[in-house]
């Protein structure tokens, strides 16, 4: 089965979480992770996104950039990115450029749903 791997342009850990929250509060327009901005409010997961995650039949996984690089030993991607993984192959499902062009979580969900039809068959 194919898995969508969402890789955030953010590092893992409590210290990094605190830095990210402060950045979102004080300078949200310059926050480096457009995927984070779409799927999370300042302090918690966006409700619309959370509902989508719970109802989707897609196999999805979420990683911070450092977690992804450690697990896959790969530092060649621009983050954020959504990758498609089937068995041993990783391919770009939604590039950082396309994610950055999205203006709402609803648009992200529609894009995922319209591009993942074949994955559910």
């Amino acid at each position: 089965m194919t898995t969508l791997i969402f890789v955030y342009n953010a590092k893992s850990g409590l210290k990094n979480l605190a830095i990210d929250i402060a950045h979102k509060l004080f300078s949200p327009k310059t926050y480096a992770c457009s995927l984070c901005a779409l799927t999370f409010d300042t302090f918690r997961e966006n409700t619309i996104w959370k509902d989508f995650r719970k109802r989707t039949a897609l196999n999805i996984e979420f990683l911070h950039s450092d977690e992804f690089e450690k697990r896959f030993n790969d530092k060649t991607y621009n983050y954020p990115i959504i990758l498609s993984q089937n068995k041993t192959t990783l391919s770009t499902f939604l590039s950082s450029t396309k994610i950055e062009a999205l203006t709402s979580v609803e648009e992200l969900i529609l894009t995922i749903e319209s591009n993942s039809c074949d994955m559910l068959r």
Side-chain angles (χ1 to χ4, degrees):
M1 174 176 223
T2 301
T3 300
L4 287 182
I5 301 173
F6 292 71
V7 185
Y8 292 104
N9 189 22
K11 304 271 188 230
S12 61
L14 289 176
K15 177 183 166 189
N16 291 310
L17 175 61
I19 292 168
D20 288 344
I21 289 171
H23 198 151
K24 286 180 185 179
L25 281 170
F26 299 111
S27 189
K29 292 191 185 292
T30 63
Y31 186 62
C33 185
S34 53
L35 184 58
C36 297
L38 290 168
T39 60
F40 281 84
D41 299 326
T42 303
F43 298 105
R44 64 179 161 237
E45 189 173 15
N46 177 294
T47 305
I48 295 168
W49 177 249
K50 188 175 184 177
D51 291 343
F52 166 75
R53 245 191 347 88
K54 287 180 177 180
R55 71 173 161 76
T56 187
L58 293 168
N59 190 21
I60 54 178
E61 185 175 347
F62 301 91
L63 297 171
H64 294 93
S65 59
D66 59 325
E67 296 167 326
F68 173 80
E69 290 171 0
K70 182 177 179 182
R71 180 169 158 195
F72 290 93
N73 195 28
D74 191 340
K75 297 180 181 183
T76 60
Y77 294 100
N78 292 320
Y79 306 119
I81 192 165
I82 302 173
L83 300 166
S84 173
Q85 179 187 33
N86 57 14
K87 297 193 181 186
T88 59
T89 304
L90 279 176
S91 57
T92 300
F93 180 81
L94 208 56
S95 70
S96 60
T97 304
K98 290 186 179 181
I99 293 169
E100 289 167 11
L102 299 172
T103 59
S104 69
V105 69
E106 293 89 351
E107 190 177 1
L108 172 62
I109 292 167
L110 286 172
T111 302
I112 292 167
E113 289 176 336
S114 65
N115 290 313
S116 63
C117 294
D118 292 339
M119 293 173 59
L120 295 172
R121 292 183 190 153

